Amino acid sequence: MEFAKNQQNSWYENKEQVLVAVDCIIFGFDNETLKLLVFKREIQPLKGSWSLIGSFIRQNENANQAGLRILKDITGLENIFMEELKTYSAVDRDPGARCISIGQYALIRIDENNKELVNKHGAFWFSLDELPELVLDHNQMVKDALDRLREKARFSPVGFELLPKYFTLPQIQTLYEQIFQKRLDSRNFRKKLLSLNFLKKTEIKDKSSSKKGAYLYEFDYEKETDQSFIFKG
Amino acid sequence: MEFAKNQQNSWYENKEQVLVAVDCIIFGFDNETLKLLVFKREIQPLKGSWSLIGSFIRQNENANQAGLRILKDITGLENIFMEELKTYSAVDRDPGARCISIGQYALIRIDENNKELVNKHGAFWFSLDELPELVLDHNQMVKDALDRLREKARFSPVGFELLPKYFTLPQIQTLYEQIFQKRLDSRNFRKKLLSLNFLKKTEIKDKSSSKKGAYLYEFDYEKETDQSFIFKG
DNA sequence: TCAAAAGTGTTCCGACTACACCCATGT
DNA sequence: ACATGGGTGTAGTCGGAACACTTTTGA
């Protein structure tokens, strides 16, 4: 860099600044339905309404770090799958101030560990078809995130972040049926999934949802490839 | 809205604001190669280096409007295909100040009309393989935009925005060869393209690049569908 | 023994791939 | 007449889609 360090922050001095928020669209799966984590907004305006979880971005973090910070605060989890969705920058989107929001969506496992922490923050898991009205443009964000998730699931093996370490094939199928909102043929689904060779079978059966029991599998990250993975949406 | 209008801008008063820029990754096609519009940066720091075209976002416009404003200033064009790429928010990405940039990519036709205006602004079209070093993280933006363009071109008939109203099949093929950086089989390409039924053939031949001449087609927006359009990338 | 979920194989068809020659025309 | 680019058809292969019965086991 060819310019003096003490020039910092002076070049752009007369430019207008705006607030930048990060809002998190957090998906979870409880082995039955795809859910979304929303909470009671804690700040004015619109305090007390249902809202996505968000925060203003801080000077010392980038957008992804901000999202992960929020997620850790609420769920206690680190190493979460989180990706940028898009920005929301309509001039009047937030009546509190001119504020641009960067939507980030995350996929996490719903399990006992984090339920407690989540409740403590006034957060709740809602089924996607029972989602309440959210503040500002947050319903749009959810819609966009779902579209993105579907699109992504068609072409890459996404969604394993929503499952526990060991899972059964019927479990993944239910997950994909939730994502695509349609029934899938189990023979074709299993054939396709297993042909991709990134699942490791164990000899353990999970009998929690049937008498016969279903074999547990785990994701083999070594073998994950980018081969296309096309399911009809 | 349940709160008093005069509360505006007071709710978030103690929050830190940041600068938000929009940077435009502008692709063009001259019937031979895919090009990118870059220009000499006009402001400090790094004044005079090659840079994408950008601007700080204004209070009365959203990110897309900001991008279109920039594009109109430089090229004189309106109604341009422009889409958000992603945001760039690394803390130190801009030595001038903490500044988050929203990358937007655009596809435009290179023709005589706008060449003049472009030159007047110190802007130049570079072939993608002769691209100079750009300031900040702009080379990364270009790389990301190219990846996005390829991804998009695989699944939807994007790229027609880069062609004139009337174009020949060899012309589109060259465009796709540029996007994918590989040769395509003309028989398969034409078969696939025509089977999608969104091209209207005219009886006029363009003889500018061969003696025999190639029929001109136009895009039939009525018939554009979302049917998949898969080319190997 | 029965109910409930897990697991498995085959056929059909559409779509992508590879591949080579004739056509029209200006020079 | 010839060089240059435009235009066309076919056979093979792969993968997705449709489809129904057997297996296991707890109650």
Side-chain angles (χ1 to χ4, degrees), chain A residues 21-24 39 51-56 70 138:
Chain A
V22 170
D23 285 304
C24 300
F39 84 145
S51 165
L52 293 176
I53 291 160
S55 164
F56 290 108
I70 297 165
H138 289 192

Side-chain angles (χ1 to χ4, degrees), chain A residues 3 8-9 11-12 15-18 20 41 44-45 58-59 61-63 84 87 89 91 94-96 98, chain B residues 3 8-9 11-12 16-18 20 41 44-45 58-59 61-63 84 87 89 91 94-96 98:
Chain A
F3 47 88
Q8 288 271 111
N9 297 314
W11 301 114
Y12 305 146
K15 299 296 177 183
E16 294 175 281
Q17 302 199 334
V18 297
V20 176
R41 185 165 155 116
Q44 290 292 1
R58 296 182 183 160
Q59 294 291 343
E61 66 187 3
N62 65 29
E84 180 175 332
T87 61
S89 62
V91 173
D94 187 333
R98 175 69 202 275
Chain B
F3 46 86
Q8 289 271 109
N9 297 314
W11 301 114
Y12 305 145
E16 293 175 283
Q17 302 199 333
V18 298
V20 176
R41 184 165 155 116
Q44 290 293 2
R58 296 182 182 161
Q59 294 291 342
E61 66 188 2
N62 65 29
E84 179 174 331
T87 60
S89 61
V91 173
D94 187 333
R98 176 69 202 276

Side-chain angles (χ1 to χ4, degrees), chain A residues 17-218:
Chain A
Q17 302 199 334
V18 297
L19 285 163
V20 176
V22 170
D23 285 304
C24 300
I25 301 99
I26 305 171
F27 293 105
F29 182 59
D30 63 359
N31 292 338
E32 283 195 8
T33 53
L34 194 58
K35 300 203 160 164
L36 191 81
L37 192 60
V38 299
F39 84 145
K40 290 270 184 194
R41 185 165 155 116
E42 289 167 347
I43 59 168
Q44 290 292 1
L46 301 170
K47 184 173 172 179
S49 307
W50 291 111
S51 165
L52 293 176
I53 291 160
S55 164
F56 290 108
I57 197 167
R58 296 182 183 160
Q59 294 291 343
N60 61 347
E61 66 187 3
N62 65 29
N64 197 254
Q65 289 162 344
L68 294 176
R69 165 174 60 78
I70 297 165
L71 240 77
K72 191 178 173 203
D73 284 352
I74 304 285
T75 65
L77 299 171
E78 298 187 76
N79 297 321
I80 289 193
F81 173 88
M82 173 170 260
E83 246 183 31
E84 180 175 332
L85 179 60
K86 63 188 282 282
T87 61
Y88 294 83
S89 62
V91 173
D92 291 325
R93 60 175 291 280
D94 187 333
R98 175 69 202 275
C99 173
I100 292 174
S101 174
I102 302 174
Q104 309 248 127
Y105 69 104
L107 306 179
I108 73 177
R109 304 206 284 263
I110 304 181
D111 59 26
E112 296 308 320
N113 302 335
N114 44 53
K115 262 189 186 157
E116 202 182 321
L117 197 56
V118 161
N119 289 337
K120 210 175 67 190
H121 285 82
F124 296 90
W125 287 104
F126 279 92
S127 288
L128 284 168
D129 44 357
E130 295 167 356
L131 210 59
E133 179 99 3
L134 306 177
V135 299
L136 312 182
D137 45 11
H138 289 192
N139 282 301
Q140 183 64 41
M141 292 185 187
V142 174
K143 187 177 170 305
D144 292 342
L146 251 179
D147 286 346
R148 176 74 67 89
L149 183 60
R150 280 189 194 123
E151 196 57 25
K152 222 180 148 64
R154 288 181 58 198
F155 302 115
S156 62
V158 84
F160 293 87
E161 299 84 353
L162 290 159
L163 296 169
K165 183 164 175 11
Y166 296 98
F167 47 80
T168 66
L169 296 186
Q171 232 176 326
I172 315 182
Q173 186 175 338
T174 304
L175 171 58
Y176 271 80
E177 288 177 340
Q178 283 289 311
I179 293 175
F180 293 132
Q181 293 287 329
K182 67 181 279 195
R183 296 301 308 273
L184 301 171
D185 180 276
S186 70
R187 288 159 294 188
N188 293 337
F189 184 82
R190 297 163 73 100
K191 208 187 311 163
K192 175 69 181 172
L193 206 54
L194 293 172
S195 76
L196 297 170
N197 278 320
F198 53 63
L199 294 185
K200 262 202 299 235
K201 187 180 178 184
T202 71
E203 289 307 317
I204 306 159
K205 279 194 167 184
D206 167 41
K207 298 203 174 178
S208 65
S209 69
S210 78
K211 290 159 187 167
K212 183 175 177 182
Y215 284 108
L216 287 169
Y217 287 77
E218 68 179 317

Side-chain angles (χ1 to χ4, degrees), chain B residues 29 36-37 51 71 109 120 125 129 143 152 169 175 185 191 207:
Chain B
F29 181 61
L36 191 81
L37 192 60
S51 165
L71 241 79
R109 304 207 286 263
K120 210 176 66 189
W125 287 105
D129 44 356
K143 188 176 169 304
K152 221 180 147 64
L169 295 186
L175 171 57
D185 180 276
K191 209 187 311 164
K207 298 201 173 177

